[in-house]
């Protein structure tokens, strides 16, 4: 190292000390490079395993989807009166027809400026103004004695469950000139406290400048969901707030019609209010009545109905439920495609012998190459890292075993994938589909196909478990083993076996660096002493030669 170097050549020894030290360090450098190569190769191997883990884990997640009955037993529905009622069905629904009578669909609480009306103004010289001052205050002027911080407008709004206050100060109304749009925004952002949390009212307000109309709409249906506007008549702002709300000319919307404009009416000795409430749905399905439904959705025996409007009297809707065979074929084909993508990738890694002539480059070797050359070299050096790897072999074996063996819980003749037209194309386990045979099996016994792929045995009996469930369970176990060995990413601090090994190599390199530095210093010290000795001999020789 530089601290041990001297000045050479003054003695006339002719020694090339730098070269001598470099030669002396060669064996130590080779030992260091060997550790470095092992560390880098282990990092590469960890990255390769992380890639396998990622792809296998993604496939496992997809197998979770194929365990769902909605994937392997998709249902379809049709309605004879789809403008009045529609439906969806899950795997628990029977393949039957249902009659549905909708006496009344659930509605929302809804206020809107009445037909033929426009918002009224208290300022006759500002008949198109949207400013709150011109709508609520005579002449649009501030009342005498009203200060900026005073409340100019205030009312309570309730959705039937919670209540909050909407208010404006005099400064907001007369200095900032807030408008009907600000009124709508304040209602839309209003919150009330429920179970210690601020909760939205689900009431949407809007001002439409084209029609000069205002609207309030509760997004939830049913008679428990309301819009209730209340003014405290004892407050100093009561007169102006009442004028504001009355000037909105709000009518109740129901059944596609709007009532004439409503006004606030006395609701208690100290309040005036106006209110609207939604209505409940009343339906009859297969002769059974369901009244007072808050929502326009109802699930009965695996079929979820959505009600839009009343059906004609005496003409119920017919909802037919059938198995969606085209969707099932599509899903099975997708399953095979995803299976093949993974097993082909694993086989490729398992069979890749790599390039034996390409290994990890040392730092000094990389310095003599371009960046592109290093990248191409490393690409070849990284290939073959998982050749005949035991973890990859286990994944391949588990996947092939899951699709080959019969599912004993499936009754009848369709208990294997081969029986429904899914067979191995080659010795590597790549699957192929006979679509004609698959469609015939689905048409003959659609439930058998569902059980063959999705069934999850409650006793975890492998022979009774469906193919997708087998794959999910086996991969879960194998991925835990792989995680213990190599982690799930390139991170060396994940406490995996390879992560610990990488850290161990790094410590060995650090320790060996110190050893090399010490050895190099000793070499320089040795040659320093030699130079000094030669210099003294030279001096003595010159002295005696001069006598």
């Amino acid at each position: 190292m530089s601290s041990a170097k001297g000045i050479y050549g003054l003695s006339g020894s002719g020694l090339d000390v730098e070269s001598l030290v470099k030669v002396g360090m060669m064996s130590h450098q080779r030992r260091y490079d060997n550790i470095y190569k092992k560390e880098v190769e282990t990092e590469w191997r960890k990255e390769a395993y992380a890639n396998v883990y990622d792809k296998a884990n993604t496939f496992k997640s997809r197998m979770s989807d194929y365990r769902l009955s909605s994937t392997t037993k998709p249902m379809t529905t049709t309605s004879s009166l789809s403008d009045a009622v529609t439906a969806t069905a899950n795997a628990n629904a029977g393949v039957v027809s249902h009659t549905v009578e909708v006496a009344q669909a659930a509605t929302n609480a809804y206020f809107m400026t009445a037909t033929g009306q426009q918002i009224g103004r208290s300022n006759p010289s500002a008949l198109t103004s949207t400013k709150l001052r011109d709508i609520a205050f005579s002449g649009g002027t501030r009342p005498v004695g009203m200060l900026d911080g005073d409340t100019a407008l205030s009312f309570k709004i309730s959705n039937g469950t919670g209540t909050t206050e909407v208010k404006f100060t005099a400064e907001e109304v007369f200095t900032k000139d807030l408008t009907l749009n600000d009124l709508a925004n304040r209602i839309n952002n209003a919150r009330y406290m429920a179970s210690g949390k601020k909760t939205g009212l689900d009431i949407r307000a809007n001002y439409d400048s084209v029609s000069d109309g205002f609207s309030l709409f509760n997004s939830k249906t049913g008679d428990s969901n309301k819009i209730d506007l209340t003014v405290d008549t004892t407050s100093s702002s009561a007169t102006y707030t009442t004028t504001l709300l009355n000037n909105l000319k709000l009518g109740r919307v129901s059944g596609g019609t709007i009532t004439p404009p409503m006004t606030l009416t006395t609701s208690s000795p100290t309040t005036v209010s106006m209110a609207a409430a939604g209505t409940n749905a009343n339906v009859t399905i297969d002769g059974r009545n369901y009244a007072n439904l808050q929502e326009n959705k109802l699930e009965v025996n695996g079929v979820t109905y959505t009600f839009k409007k009343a059906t004609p009297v005496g003409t119920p809707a017919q909802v037919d439920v059938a198995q969606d065979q085209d969707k099932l074929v599509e899903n099975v084909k997708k399953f095979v495609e995803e299976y093949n993508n993974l097993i082909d990738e694993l086989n490729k890694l398992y069979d890749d012998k790599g390039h034996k002539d390409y290994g990890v480059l040392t730092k000094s070797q990389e310095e003599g190459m371009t960046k592109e050359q290093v990248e191409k070299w490393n690409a070849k050096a990284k290939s073959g890292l998982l050749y005949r790897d035991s973890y990859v072999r286990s994944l391949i074996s588990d996947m092939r075993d899951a699709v080959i063996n019969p599912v004993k819980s499936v009754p009848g003749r369709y208990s294997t994938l081969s029986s429904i037209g899914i067979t191995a194309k080659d010795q590597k386990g790549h699957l192929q589909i006979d679509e004609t045979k698959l469609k015939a099996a689905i048409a003959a016994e659609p439930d058998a196909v569902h059980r063959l792929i999705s069934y999850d045995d409650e006793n975890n009996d492998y022979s009774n478990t469906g193919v997708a469930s087998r794959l999910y369970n086996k991969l879960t176990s194998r991925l835990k083993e792989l995680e213990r060995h190599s982690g799930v990413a390139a991170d060396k601090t994940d406490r995996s076996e390879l992560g610990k090994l990488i850290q161990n190599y790094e410590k060995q390199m650090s320790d060996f660096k110190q050893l090399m530095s010490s050895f190099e210093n000793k070499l320089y010290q040795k040659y320093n002493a030699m130079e000094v000795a030669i210099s003294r001999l030279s001096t003595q020789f010159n002295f005696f030669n001069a006598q």
Side-chain angles (χ1 to χ4, degrees):
M1 303 299 286
S2 60
S3 61
K5 290 180 179 180
I7 302 175
Y8 307 106
L10 296 178
S11 66
S13 65
L15 293 175
D16 184 353
V17 175
E18 293 291 346
S19 296
L20 290 172
V21 171
K22 187 174 183 180
V23 170
M25 291 295 296
M26 286 180 65
S27 62
H28 286 71
Q29 186 64 48
R30 281 195 297 269
R31 290 171 61 188
Y32 177 85
D33 287 344
N34 286 336
I35 301 172
Y36 171 78
K37 288 179 178 180
K38 289 179 181 179
E39 188 271 338
V40 172
E41 183 176 323
T42 305
E43 284 186 350
W44 287 353
R45 193 178 300 277
K46 195 176 192 303
E47 291 174 3
Y49 279 130
N51 184 49
V52 169
Y53 185 97
D54 180 63
K55 291 181 178 179
N57 193 48
T58 299
F59 178 76
K60 188 192 85 167
S61 297
R62 290 291 295 134
M63 290 307 98
S64 181
D65 294 336
Y66 287 107
R67 297 167 77 191
L68 300 174
S69 56
S70 59
T71 303
T72 54
K73 195 179 178 182
M75 308 297 286
T76 183
T77 61
T78 56
S79 170
S80 62
L81 296 172
S82 57
D83 60 333
V85 58
T86 58
T88 59
N90 61 36
N92 296 321
V95 180
V96 294
S97 295
H98 303 278
T99 58
V100 182
E101 298 177 71
V102 182
Q104 176 178 290
T107 62
N108 311 80
Y110 192 4
F111 276 128
M112 177 182 286
T113 298
T115 303
Q117 298 288 326
Q118 292 181 318
I119 291 174
R121 272 76 180 180
S122 296
N123 182 1
S125 62
L127 296 180
T128 60
S129 172
T130 62
K131 296 177 182 178
L132 299 179
R133 63 188 296 174
D134 293 323
I135 297 166
F137 294 84
S138 178
T141 58
R142 184 196 299 233
V144 176
M146 182 178 284
L147 304 177
D148 278 354
D150 292 344
T151 298
L153 299 168
S154 174
F155 63 91
K156 290 183 177 180
I157 182 168
S158 172
N159 63 1
T161 301
T163 302
T164 191
E165 185 178 19
V166 175
K167 65 179 181 179
F168 297 85
T169 64
E171 181 183 20
E172 290 176 318
V173 173
F174 296 102
T175 303
K176 296 183 178 180
D177 284 334
L178 296 193
T179 67
L180 288 170
N181 286 318
D182 296 303
L183 172 62
N185 288 334
R186 198 151 293 187
I187 293 172
N188 292 337
N189 294 322
R191 300 288 186 269
Y192 69 96
M193 295 300 295
S195 301
K197 295 182 179 180
K198 290 184 177 181
T199 304
L201 287 169
D202 296 313
I203 294 175
R204 304 302 299 171
N206 181 66
Y207 169 67
D208 179 14
S209 59
V210 176
S211 64
D212 191 27
F214 200 85
S215 63
L216 294 161
F217 180 81
N218 190 318
S219 61
K220 293 184 177 180
T221 58
D223 62 4
S224 66
N225 296 298
K226 304 174 181 179
I227 301 173
D228 194 329
L229 307 174
T230 302
V231 177
D232 180 357
T233 56
T234 65
S235 68
S236 60
S237 62
T239 300
Y240 315 115
T241 307
T242 301
T243 300
L244 169 69
L245 296 180
N246 284 341
N247 274 345
L248 296 180
K249 308 289 182 67
L250 298 175
R252 239 187 241 114
V253 181
S254 177
T257 62
I258 308 175
T259 65
M262 298 174 60
T263 57
L264 295 165
T265 57
T266 301
S267 51
S268 79
T270 60
T271 59
V272 290
S273 65
M274 70 170 70
T279 59
N280 296 335
N282 186 337
V283 302
T284 301
I285 300 174
D286 295 333
R288 182 175 180 180
N289 181 249
Y290 299 87
N292 297 319
L293 299 176
Q294 288 283 314
E295 298 180 357
N296 280 317
K297 281 187 180 294
L298 177 67
E299 181 181 347
V300 180
N301 297 327
V303 181
T304 300
Y305 300 92
T306 299
F307 313 113
K308 299 179 179 180
K309 68 176 186 179
T311 54
V313 177
T315 307
Q318 179 174 307
V319 175
D320 297 321
V321 180
Q323 198 145 43
D324 193 341
Q325 295 186 4
D326 290 339
K327 185 65 176 178
L328 179 52
V329 170
E330 178 186 330
N331 290 343
V332 172
K333 290 168 68 176
K334 187 66 175 175
F335 165 80
V336 171
E337 178 187 347
E338 291 174 319
Y339 176 92
N340 284 338
N341 287 342
L342 179 59
I343 202 162
D344 289 350
E345 176 67 18
L346 294 176
N347 278 317
K348 180 181 178 182
L349 294 171
Y350 188 70
D351 293 334
D352 185 1
K353 294 181 179 180
H355 299 82
K356 293 182 179 180
D357 295 334
Y358 290 79
V360 178
L361 295 169
T362 64
K363 292 293 186 182
S364 60
Q365 288 173 326
E366 287 185 352
E367 288 172 0
M369 303 167 67
T370 66
K371 181 180 179 181
E372 183 179 359
Q373 288 173 329
V374 171
E375 289 175 349
K376 288 182 177 179
W377 181 285
N378 286 344
K380 290 185 176 181
K382 289 180 179 181
S383 64
L385 287 172
L386 299 182
Y387 176 65
R388 294 296 185 260
D389 180 81
S390 61
Y391 289 97
V392 176
R393 181 177 64 245
S394 296
L395 287 169
I396 294 172
S397 177
D398 286 343
M399 290 181 68
R400 295 188 63 182
D401 185 74
V403 300
I404 291 173
N405 289 312
V407 178
K408 294 182 179 179
S409 62
V410 181
R413 52 186 173 142
Y414 298 113
S415 60
T416 63
L417 287 184
S418 61
S419 66
I420 64 170
I422 303 173
T423 56
K425 182 180 180 180
D426 52 39
Q427 294 299 314
K428 299 294 185 182
H430 185 96
L431 299 179
Q432 60 185 356
I433 302 177
D434 181 337
E435 195 167 332
T436 301
K437 192 173 181 180
L438 173 62
K439 289 181 177 180
I442 290 174
E445 293 186 44
D447 283 342
V449 176
H450 162 61
R451 288 181 68 90
L452 175 60
I453 296 176
S454 299
Y455 185 68
D456 197 0
D457 186 71
E458 61 182 10
N459 297 316
N460 204 26
D461 186 334
Y462 183 83
S463 64
N464 287 331
T465 300
V467 173
S469 294
R470 286 176 178 176
L471 288 166
Y472 180 89
N473 294 335
K474 280 290 187 180
L475 286 173
T476 297
S477 176
R478 291 298 182 192
L479 289 178
K480 286 181 180 178
E481 294 176 7
L482 189 57
E483 185 175 351
R484 285 193 293 269
H485 178 63
S486 61
V488 300
D491 180 18
K492 64 189 176 186
T493 64
D494 58 10
R495 303 187 65 79
S496 65
E497 293 172 358
L498 292 189
K500 292 177 182 177
L501 183 58
I502 291 169
Q503 290 179 310
N504 183 47
Y505 282 137
E506 288 179 339
K507 186 177 186 306
Q508 288 183 47
M509 286 190 292
S510 177
D511 293 344
F512 203 75
K513 273 278 190 184
Q514 295 180 15
L515 178 65
M516 290 172 68
S517 178
S518 176
F519 183 72
E520 186 181 35
N521 286 338
K522 288 178 180 179
L523 286 177
Y524 278 115
Q525 289 169 5
K526 173 182 175 181
Y527 291 118
N528 277 342
M530 184 182 295
E531 281 283 308
V532 170
I534 292 173
S535 177
R536 287 175 179 171
L537 287 173
S538 177
T539 300
Q540 291 175 4
F541 175 78
N542 290 333
F543 173 78
F544 286 114
N545 192 44
Q547 297 300 316

